[in-house]
Amino acid sequence: MSDTTGTDTSRRAGTGPTGWHVLLLASLDRSRERLARALDGVSAEQASARPVDELAPRIDSLAWLAWHTAREIDLQVSALSGSEPLWTAADFVGRFALPLPTDTEDWHHTPAESAQVTVTDTTLLDDYLDAAYALVREYVEGLTEADLDEAVDEWQNQPVTLGVRLSSVIDDAAQHAGAAVSARRLLGLPG
């Protein structure tokens, strides 16, 4: 069984595997579903517009929120798996053709920088989101429970485990998916 994003929902129906894999994947699925709903029926112009630019320039466009979510998943999971990011490997950098450096640190974008993330077709946003979510799903499905305790980084002189890093990826995706729904509503669109 799958939903409108092609995501296998049988796990949520209780017919598939159980355990921590399901918890992580279900959390990811929910953010992807929310982003799909936020982008549904939206024109490229609407997606690229910051909904209340003059009043609140930090409320980013649907295009930036979807692009940043895909990119955040892509860059973090590619680094964890030791693979080249989809951004360059699948030429999303060329397909988006943004007027920003290839290695732009989107998590530090100013309102002026985020406004440069625009699209001429929202299909590109869905394509990058689908690729990034497929990447993280495949990565999570290949992990063992013991892998989650592996230290993959350090922050404030404390080890960051793979489980904590994946929780951060999921949390960021959920936050930006929720912001995308709010941005859609601020554009005056239903949903």
Side-chain angles (χ1 to χ4, degrees), residues 65-87:
L65 290 161
W67 169 78
H68 169 72
T69 302
R71 192 165 150 82
E72 175 261 338
I73 292 169
D74 177 17
L75 294 181
Q76 291 208 50
V77 175
S78 293
L80 291 169
S81 67
S83 60
E84 181 182 354
L86 298 167
W87 181 243

Side-chain angles (χ1 to χ4, degrees), residues 95-163:
R95 292 176 63 194
F96 274 90
L98 300 175
L100 295 164
T102 302
D103 62 349
T104 187
E105 293 185 347
D106 37 306
W107 51 94
H108 291 133
H109 273 180
T110 65
E113 290 168 318
S114 70
Q116 294 180 60
V117 178
T118 61
V119 293
T120 57
D121 184 348
T122 59
T123 302
L124 181 56
L125 296 169
D126 279 318
D127 288 351
Y128 193 25
L129 285 164
D130 287 344
Y133 276 85
L135 177 73
V136 70
R137 286 186 70 79
E138 181 180 338
Y139 181 73
V140 168
E141 288 169 351
L143 296 175
T144 66
E145 188 169 0
D147 292 332
L148 298 177
D149 294 327
E150 178 187 339
V152 295
D153 203 353
E154 189 175 286
W155 189 71
Q156 294 185 346
N157 297 319
Q158 296 294 316
V160 175
T161 65
L162 179 57

Side-chain angles (χ1 to χ4, degrees), residues 3-7 28-42 62 65-66 69 122 125-127 129-130 133 173 176-178 180-181 184 190-191:
D3 62 16
T4 59
T5 65
T7 302
L28 285 162
D29 290 347
R30 281 169 175 69
S31 65
R32 180 62 186 105
E33 291 163 5
R34 197 171 298 116
L35 285 160
R37 286 194 311 269
L39 291 168
D40 185 44
V42 173
L62 285 167
L65 290 161
T69 302
T122 59
L125 296 169
D126 279 318
D127 288 351
L129 285 164
D130 287 344
Y133 276 85
H176 287 91
V181 170
R184 178 187 173 92

Side-chain angles (χ1 to χ4, degrees), residues 155-177:
W155 189 71
Q156 294 185 346
N157 297 319
Q158 296 294 316
V160 175
T161 65
L162 179 57
V164 168
R165 176 58 51 82
L166 290 172
S167 294
S168 175
V169 169
I170 291 167
D171 179 58
D172 196 63
Q175 287 183 55
H176 287 91

Side-chain angles (χ1 to χ4, degrees), residues 10-22:
S10 62
R11 291 187 177 114
R12 280 186 254 141
T15 60
T18 60
W20 60 270
H21 281 103
V22 173

